Amino acid sequence: MTARRFRCRPEDVTAARLFVRAQLSDEPPEMVQAAELMTSELATNCVMHARSDFELAIDSHDQIRIEVSDAGRGRPMLLQPDVRDLTGRGLRIVDAMSDAWGVVAKTTGKTVWFTLPLPPHPET
Protein backbone atom coordinates (compact mmCIF):
# COMPACT_ATOMS: atom_id res chain seq x y z
CA MET A 1 0.00 0.00 0.00
CA THR A 2 1.27 3.44 -0.92
CA ALA A 3 0.19 6.44 1.15
CA ARG A 4 0.66 10.19 1.21
CA ARG A 5 -0.56 13.00 3.46
CA PHE A 6 -2.28 16.10 2.13
CA ARG A 7 -3.16 19.44 3.69
CA CYS A 8 -6.66 20.76 4.27
CA ARG A 9 -6.59 22.98 1.18
CA PRO A 10 -8.64 22.90 -2.03
CA GLU A 11 -5.48 22.66 -4.14
CA ASP A 12 -4.55 19.46 -2.31
CA VAL A 13 -7.69 17.82 -3.70
CA THR A 14 -6.11 18.29 -7.14
CA ALA A 15 -2.81 16.96 -5.81
CA ALA A 16 -4.62 13.87 -4.49
CA ARG A 17 -6.12 13.22 -7.94
CA LEU A 18 -2.68 13.50 -9.52
CA PHE A 19 -1.27 11.09 -6.92
CA VAL A 20 -3.96 8.53 -7.84
CA ARG A 21 -3.23 9.01 -11.54
CA ALA A 22 0.48 8.44 -11.01
CA GLN A 23 0.01 5.38 -8.80
CA LEU A 24 -2.48 3.73 -11.18
CA SER A 25 -0.71 4.70 -14.41
CA ASP A 26 -0.53 1.06 -15.59
CA GLU A 27 -4.32 0.61 -15.36
CA PRO A 28 -6.86 1.34 -18.13
CA PRO A 29 -7.73 5.04 -18.46
CA GLU A 30 -11.41 4.54 -17.56
CA MET A 31 -10.39 2.81 -14.31
CA VAL A 32 -7.95 5.61 -13.46
CA GLN A 33 -10.56 8.28 -14.22
CA ALA A 34 -13.14 6.58 -12.00
CA ALA A 35 -10.61 6.28 -9.16
CA GLU A 36 -9.59 9.93 -9.58
CA LEU A 37 -13.19 11.15 -9.50
CA MET A 38 -14.11 9.17 -6.39
CA THR A 39 -10.88 10.20 -4.65
CA SER A 40 -11.65 13.82 -5.48
CA GLU A 41 -15.09 13.49 -3.88
CA LEU A 42 -13.69 11.97 -0.68
CA ALA A 43 -10.82 14.47 -0.48
CA THR A 44 -13.26 17.33 -0.98
CA ASN A 45 -15.31 16.00 1.93
CA CYS A 46 -12.17 16.14 4.10
CA VAL A 47 -11.55 19.76 3.17
CA MET A 48 -15.16 20.99 3.26
CA HIS A 49 -16.74 18.96 6.05
CA ALA A 50 -14.04 17.39 8.24
CA ARG A 51 -11.88 20.52 7.86
CA SER A 52 -8.84 18.34 8.35
CA ASP A 53 -5.64 17.28 6.66
CA PHE A 54 -6.04 13.84 5.14
CA GLU A 55 -4.10 10.75 4.19
CA LEU A 56 -4.68 8.93 0.92
CA ALA A 57 -3.68 5.26 0.69
CA ILE A 58 -3.78 3.15 -2.47
CA ASP A 59 -3.50 -0.62 -2.76
CA SER A 60 -3.73 -2.20 -6.21
CA HIS A 61 -2.73 -5.81 -5.71
CA ASP A 62 -5.92 -7.94 -5.98
CA GLN A 63 -8.22 -4.98 -6.55
CA ILE A 64 -7.93 -1.23 -6.39
CA ARG A 65 -8.64 -0.06 -2.85
CA ILE A 66 -8.39 3.60 -2.02
CA GLU A 67 -8.68 4.91 1.54
CA VAL A 68 -9.03 8.53 2.58
CA SER A 69 -8.51 9.18 6.29
CA ASP A 70 -9.16 12.41 8.17
CA ALA A 71 -9.40 13.68 11.74
CA GLY A 72 -12.98 14.92 11.44
CA ARG A 73 -15.59 13.81 13.94
CA GLY A 74 -18.62 13.48 11.68
CA ARG A 75 -19.67 10.29 9.94
CA PRO A 76 -20.29 10.51 6.18
CA MET A 77 -23.84 9.79 5.07
CA LEU A 78 -25.55 9.21 1.74
CA LEU A 79 -27.71 12.28 1.19
CA GLN A 80 -30.73 12.88 -1.00
CA PRO A 81 -29.85 16.30 -2.43
CA ASP A 82 -32.49 18.36 -4.16
CA VAL A 83 -31.76 19.32 -7.78
CA ARG A 84 -31.08 22.88 -6.58
CA ASP A 85 -28.53 21.79 -3.94
CA LEU A 86 -24.95 22.58 -4.91
CA THR A 87 -23.43 19.87 -2.71
CA GLY A 88 -24.30 16.49 -1.26
CA ARG A 89 -23.65 14.14 -4.19
CA GLY A 90 -20.10 12.95 -3.42
CA LEU A 91 -20.96 9.70 -1.65
CA ARG A 92 -23.72 9.03 -4.19
CA ILE A 93 -21.03 9.10 -6.88
CA VAL A 94 -18.81 6.76 -4.85
CA ASP A 95 -21.77 4.45 -4.19
CA ALA A 96 -22.68 4.29 -7.88
CA MET A 97 -19.18 3.87 -9.31
CA SER A 98 -17.41 1.60 -6.81
CA ASP A 99 -17.70 -2.14 -6.25
CA ALA A 100 -17.95 -1.48 -2.53
CA TRP A 101 -17.30 1.34 -0.09
CA GLY A 102 -17.49 1.97 3.61
CA VAL A 103 -16.48 3.98 6.63
CA VAL A 104 -14.21 2.84 9.45
CA ALA A 105 -14.40 4.93 12.62
CA LYS A 106 -11.09 5.58 14.34
CA THR A 107 -10.16 7.03 17.71
CA THR A 108 -9.48 10.35 15.99
CA GLY A 109 -11.49 10.64 12.81
CA LYS A 110 -12.38 8.06 10.21
CA THR A 111 -11.34 6.31 7.03
CA VAL A 112 -13.64 6.23 4.01
CA TRP A 113 -12.67 3.59 1.46
CA PHE A 114 -13.80 2.24 -1.89
CA THR A 115 -12.81 -0.61 -4.18
CA LEU A 116 -12.72 -1.16 -7.91
CA PRO A 117 -11.94 -4.45 -9.65
CA LEU A 118 -8.64 -4.78 -11.43
CA PRO A 119 -9.18 -5.64 -15.09
CA PRO A 120 -7.58 -8.85 -16.26
CA HIS A 121 -4.15 -8.19 -17.70
CA PRO A 122 -3.28 -10.06 -20.88
CA GLU A 123 -0.79 -12.85 -20.39
CA THR A 124 2.51 -12.28 -22.14
Side-chain angles (χ1 to χ4, degrees):
M1 186 170 279
T2 303
R4 182 176 158 197
R5 291 208 48 86
F6 295 89
R7 301 295 308 267
C8 180
R9 303 181 305 195
E11 57 268 26
D12 276 32
V13 173
T14 301
R17 285 181 74 122
L18 295 174
F19 179 68
V20 168
R21 184 181 305 166
Q23 294 303 309
L24 300 178
S25 62
D26 293 338
E27 302 304 332
E30 61 276 2
M31 188 71 63
V32 176
Q33 290 166 3
E36 280 186 75
L37 175 60
M38 290 186 282
T39 298
S40 178
E41 294 298 332
L42 297 183
T44 297
N45 284 350
C46 294
V47 173
M48 288 183 62
H49 303 296
R51 300 186 191 283
S52 137
D53 292 351
F54 59 97
E55 181 178 272
L56 172 59
I58 303 170
D59 183 5
S60 59
H61 287 94
D62 297 328
Q63 64 183 352
I64 294 171
R65 180 180 172 101
I66 295 181
E67 301 177 353
V68 179
S69 302
D70 65 52
R73 290 162 131 204
R75 183 170 172 86
M77 296 176 14
L78 281 174
L79 301 177
Q80 300 284 345
D82 185 83
V83 294
R84 294 176 298 254
D85 292 337
L86 299 177
T87 63
R89 292 172 183 79
L91 287 180
R92 289 266 166 220
I93 291 169
V94 173
D95 187 56
M97 294 181 73
S98 67
D99 269 5
W101 72 277
V103 180
V104 177
K106 300 186 318 186
T107 307
T108 56
K110 68 200 155 295
T111 297
V112 183
W113 60 268
F114 66 84
T115 60
L116 290 167
L118 279 175
H121 287 283
E123 306 260 342
T124 55

